[in-house]
Amino acid sequence: MGVVKRTSMNVDLDLVREAQEVLGTQGTTETVHAALREIVRRRRLERLAQRDFSDLDVAEIRRWRTETRDWAR
């Protein structure tokens, strides 16, 4: 986890409860963090899907996988 800042937010508790069901989380903080991670993950996947990999060879793909292994978590 990166830098954490304690803050106050007004949140729709019905929406939090629904998100908890979808994400399988407990507590507002865990749910907000999971939702933010999911949005970032989806954006990264969208960018990845748009990338043209035709210029990559096997060695380049292996190097890329190693460099991005932590990113995917």
Side-chain angles (χ1 to χ4, degrees):
M1 187 181 300
V3 176
V4 177
K5 177 184 176 188
R6 188 171 202 61
T7 187
S8 297
M9 294 188 325
N10 297 319
V11 295
D12 179 335
L13 294 180
D14 291 333
L15 187 57
V16 170
R17 280 189 284 276
E18 187 174 351
Q20 286 172 330
E21 290 176 18
V22 171
L23 296 167
T25 55
Q26 296 179 349
T28 303
T29 299
E30 182 183 357
T31 303
V32 170
H33 286 177
L36 292 171
R37 279 191 303 272
E38 179 61 19
I39 290 297
V40 170
R41 185 186 73 82
R42 287 182 186 198
R43 179 71 176 283
R44 289 174 177 172
L45 287 173
E46 287 172 4
R47 287 181 180 168
L48 188 60
Q50 294 170 359
R51 184 168 173 184
D52 177 15
F53 291 100
S54 62
D55 61 331
L56 297 181
D57 60 16
V58 173
E60 179 70 13
I61 292 171
R62 286 186 179 135
R63 184 191 62 75
W64 183 77
R65 278 184 179 168
T66 301
E67 290 177 0
T68 58
R69 186 171 294 144
D70 291 334
W71 165 85
R73 293 180 187 176

